[in-house]
Amino acid sequence: MAKLLPGKPPALNWGLSDGLDAAPRPAWLDQLLAGQQWSGAGLEKDLFSWLGESSVQAAGLRYALEALACAEALPRLAAVLSPEVWRALLEHLLSAVGDARAIDLEADPLVHQLLAGELALTLAHLFPEIAPCRKLKPAARRALSSGLLNLLDGEGLPHGRHLALLRPLLACWTRCRAIGEELKGGCWSAPTDEQYQWLVRHALRLMRHDGTHVFSNGSAGDFGAELFAAALRFGGDDDDRDIARLILPPRKKTGKKKVRQPCLPEAATHSEWAAVTVLRPDWARSGERLTVVYPGKSLRMELGCGKDVLWSGPWELDVRFNGRPATPDSDWDEVCWVSDDDVDYLELEIELSGGLRVQRQMVLARDDRFLLLADAVLGERPGTIEYRCCMPLCPGVSFEGERETREG
């Protein structure tokens, strides 16, 4: 992988800046990733310890990344480890691929794709002369194709409940795409590659001014320049590269090629299947962008304006009818989506107990540059309605309301 996707940080670290790999990794693993020289005896001891721990632990994200690091290092480890230890490590990784087929794709999509897809493809690529490794290629292609086709909405957008995994999944699939360049038939089917190309554009669309992913807690400026460079190389078209010039934070001050925005695809997007909507007038990096995610009974939204994120998190709703709490009886459901020359408009609805329902309306104006948010509480019988909502303001942002109106 260091040859296919050179650079720092190592490609295996892509997309993990938002705390997904929070547990500290052992020193020997970082040495494997960095390609440092090892002491055979010391490394064998560490690997034996890892094999013993891994055999009794359920597969998780940290284990999947450790297994991939071991797989990528196997060719170099052949000159360091004894044949018995090297073979034990290979057999453990083969067993991990077999066990990964039982991981539920919907319940744990990232670990499934890392182990059943990327690990299997890595072993098949590195050791085609070893029959058990060579035979993993068809299974790896099926697992990766299934992941892209079932986790995305048909136009490259993950479901709202998996939106936080967009970049780690993009990183996994980009590494696999790099391996696929070396394999006859590639790493997945042609329809799957279309989904990957759409995903690259959505990753740009869901980027903040500082390059971090929407709703994330990542470090400012840590947007994964190497990941996006590789993703655009394998999955981007001319439009995506023009969008990247507008969206990506500049790594150094250079003269930029001028891009004519009217020629680009719409910046706003809506997917009823994914329960994700982006209200965005254009692709300008400093432009306003409202992202709304509403899987099930929860609704989160984030408003970015220039360099600032004004709010990010759950838009909470508290309704009482005749003094009693009116709780959700349904999921949020789309009522209307309009995106034209004047506005992006989204209307959602949720049913509450007591025969009430709430229609939530969001309008972002393109030229006049205002955002209007409203909740309409509707019922079929008379009674006293009490309503309260709470906006998740970000640190450093405060709200000052007017006394005589609902403005602020």
Side-chain angles (χ1 to χ4, degrees):
M1 189 57 64
K3 293 181 179 179
L4 295 177
L5 296 170
K8 293 183 179 181
L12 198 56
N13 286 350
W14 288 351
L16 299 176
S17 61
D18 298 336
L20 290 174
D21 188 30
R25 292 192 301 219
W28 63 265
L29 182 64
D30 287 326
Q31 292 175 359
L32 289 185
L33 287 172
Q36 298 176 8
Q37 297 297 320
W38 315 291
S39 164
L43 185 61
E44 284 193 0
K45 182 179 178 181
D46 290 332
L47 285 173
F48 264 126
S49 176
W50 180 77
L51 289 171
E53 294 172 359
S54 302
S55 63
V56 295
Q57 294 178 349
L61 176 58
R62 179 178 174 180
Y63 168 77
L65 295 170
E66 291 171 348
L68 274 167
C70 290
E72 291 179 12
L74 270 175
R76 291 174 287 134
L77 289 174
V80 180
L81 302 178
S82 66
E84 294 78 16
V85 175
W86 192 92
R87 188 73 188 183
L89 181 56
L90 175 61
E91 290 177 352
H92 174 86
L93 296 175
L94 289 169
S95 177
V97 172
D99 294 341
R101 295 166 189 159
I103 298 174
D104 187 278
L105 176 64
E106 178 63 29
D108 205 346
L110 180 56
V111 173
H112 178 279
Q113 290 295 283
L114 290 172
L115 293 176
E118 186 177 355
L119 179 59
L121 193 73
T122 299
L123 293 174
H125 168 57
L126 291 176
F127 305 107
E129 71 280 7
I130 300 177
C133 295
R134 183 173 62 251
K135 293 177 181 178
L136 291 177
K137 180 182 170 183
R141 294 182 83 249
R142 287 194 298 271
L144 292 168
S145 296
S146 175
L148 279 118
L149 294 176
N150 289 295
L151 294 173
L152 306 181
D153 70 343
E155 294 185 354
L157 187 62
H159 196 277
R161 58 180 170 270
H162 300 317
L163 197 65
L165 299 178
L166 185 152
R167 287 199 184 179
L169 285 170
L170 176 64
C172 169
W173 291 332
T174 300
R175 293 190 298 264
C176 292
R177 186 66 173 75
I179 296 174
E181 292 284 294
E182 306 287 312
L183 297 175
K184 184 179 180 180
C187 59
W188 49 52
S189 61
T192 306
D193 204 52
E194 293 180 2
Q195 293 301 303
Y196 173 76
Q197 293 173 31
W198 281 104
L199 177 66
V200 174
R201 182 173 300 174
H202 285 305
L204 295 169
R205 176 180 277 118
L206 292 162
M207 181 180 290
R208 293 170 174 164
H209 184 276
D210 65 4
T212 55
H213 184 57
V214 67
F215 295 113
S216 73
N217 296 313
S219 302
D222 185 15
F223 71 94
E226 292 80 8
L227 167 59
F228 279 95
L232 288 166
R233 175 157 57 99
F234 294 127
D237 59 16
D238 289 341
D239 284 340
D240 295 321
R241 284 181 277 275
D242 283 340
I243 291 169
R245 293 187 186 99
L246 294 167
I247 292 281
L248 293 180
R251 303 184 70 179
K252 55 183 178 180
K253 293 184 178 181
T254 58
K256 283 192 173 183
K257 177 183 176 182
K258 193 171 182 179
V259 178
R260 295 179 60 197
Q261 284 216 42
C263 299
L264 295 177
E266 292 293 334
T269 191
H270 169 72
S271 172
E272 185 176 6
W273 178 91
V276 175
T277 302
V278 179
L279 291 77
R280 185 168 191 152
D282 55 41
W283 290 105
R285 180 166 162 247
S286 59
E288 300 82 14
R289 58 250 177 229
L290 181 73
T291 305
V292 186
V293 182
Y294 49 97
K297 295 177 173 60
S298 65
L299 185 150
R300 293 182 300 145
M301 67 171 179
E302 177 174 305
L303 177 65
C305 184
K307 296 180 179 180
D308 299 311
V309 179
L310 300 185
W311 60 71
S312 179
W315 181 0
E316 297 177 354
L317 178 68
D318 181 10
V319 177
R320 294 176 179 270
F321 185 60
N322 291 331
R324 295 183 177 181
T327 56
D329 275 349
S330 72
D331 296 338
W332 284 102
D333 189 36
E334 175 202 330
V335 175
C336 181
W337 163 250
V338 174
S339 182
D340 59 24
D341 292 340
D342 299 318
V343 299
D344 292 330
Y345 173 75
L346 175 66
E347 184 173 339
L348 305 173
E349 183 176 271
I350 191 169
E351 296 180 3
L352 306 179
S353 58
L356 299 181
R357 69 185 188 276
V358 172
Q359 290 181 343
R360 179 161 282 180
Q361 301 148 359
M362 292 152 268
V363 184
L364 184 60
R366 294 186 182 277
D367 294 331
D368 295 330
R369 302 181 65 181
F370 68 83
L371 174 67
L372 174 67
L373 305 174
D375 276 344
V377 184
L378 308 174
E380 297 180 354
R381 56 191 178 92
T384 301
I385 294 175
E386 301 170 73
Y387 164 86
R388 176 179 178 272
C389 79
C390 184
M391 308 292 286
L393 298 182
C394 291
V397 179
S398 61
F399 176 77
E400 297 180 6
E402 294 290 338
R403 291 186 176 183
E404 297 181 357
T405 71
R406 294 182 176 84
E407 295 175 326

